[in-house]
Amino acid sequence: MSKLSSPYDPAQAPKDLKYVRYEKKGNVAHVIINRPEVRNALHSWAYIELRQCWRDIGLDPDIYVGIVSGEGHAFCAGRDVKFLAEHWASGTRTPHEDPNSPHYHWGGGGQPKDVNLEKPLIAALNGFAVGVGLNIVLQCQLRVMAEDAWIGDQHTNVGRYGAPHELYTALPRATAAYLSLCNGRLTAQECLMQGIVNKVVPRDQVMAAAEEMAEMVCRSSPLAVQAIIRTYNMVAAFPPSLVTYARDLDQRIAETEDGEEGARAFREKRRPAWKLR
């Protein structure tokens, strides 16, 4: 029996994307979240496009590293709560939260881990990153941050659960608790002091600093670098039981009165009125 092969076809790379700009420059792929009108918040269709990009980075043998950033003055405002609230108001689930939708993927499916990406990523934080935006940042092994950028969680602020287990292992525990429980924020300098980012630079130098770091990665053996990323992923992996438990909690809380009220209050630009229990 002859050996089957499946070489990468560059023509199959994502193109004509609406919510993400995806470009390749030499051995570096650029993923730019492109919804500046909502501060790069993510909805079902943006998740799908991001997943296509992560998958292509993993498949293309000529890509050694990726740079992730946001269009405009924000990196990513997390999930699109207005998109969520509109579906709640009509009595429907968002496509990525609806098990009957062909686009169902709880959590959106737009994070690098969702395709088990085994190539390094550099987060170029041109602005603030919260919620799922912060999760994407923490799945990047290297991080450059603008001087006026900040990070936060904000899930409990809108009646959601998020992925606190990821923050609790990727950050100092007191810092993770401050972000998740208090909806606190960390400035760029605080992130630098805590070793959360590698560099803090003026906003107009963020991409140049990230590209300089990418060039350093590209000088190394691609196979060795990918082996290191694979090892990182194994060390950071959670037991399947914990992943399932966290996903079920996220889904259960999302469909409570708190989840509905959080989304509605966000859309109406007011403080949520949580139910007393």
Side-chain angles (χ1 to χ4, degrees), residues 15-69:
K15 52 184 176 293
D16 300 324
L17 302 179
K18 184 175 181 180
Y19 305 110
V20 179
R21 284 199 292 110
Y22 184 55
E23 305 168 355
K24 298 179 182 180
K25 300 177 182 179
N27 301 119
V28 182
H30 288 254
V31 179
I32 312 296
I33 304 171
N34 189 27
R35 301 190 73 213
E37 70 281 0
V38 289
R39 298 176 295 181
N40 298 320
L42 302 175
H43 61 1
S44 299
W45 319 122
Y47 287 132
I48 291 171
E49 292 188 359
L50 280 172
R51 190 160 66 248
Q52 293 174 358
C53 295
W54 307 136
R55 183 174 182 274
D56 187 71
I57 289 173
L59 290 173
D60 190 341
D62 292 326
I63 294 299
Y64 299 165
V65 60
I67 296 176
V68 190
S69 192

Side-chain angles (χ1 to χ4, degrees), residues 7 31 33 58 61 77 90 116 141 156 170 174 185 199 220 238 248 263 269:
V31 179
I33 304 171
S90 65
N116 194 30
Q141 294 76 28
T156 58
R185 300 180 178 186
K199 287 185 177 182
S220 300
F238 296 102
D248 290 346
K269 299 181 179 180

Side-chain angles (χ1 to χ4, degrees), residues 113-125:
K113 68 173 184 178
D114 292 317
V115 300
N116 194 30
L117 182 60
E118 295 183 341
K119 292 183 181 179
L121 292 174
I122 301 169
L125 283 94

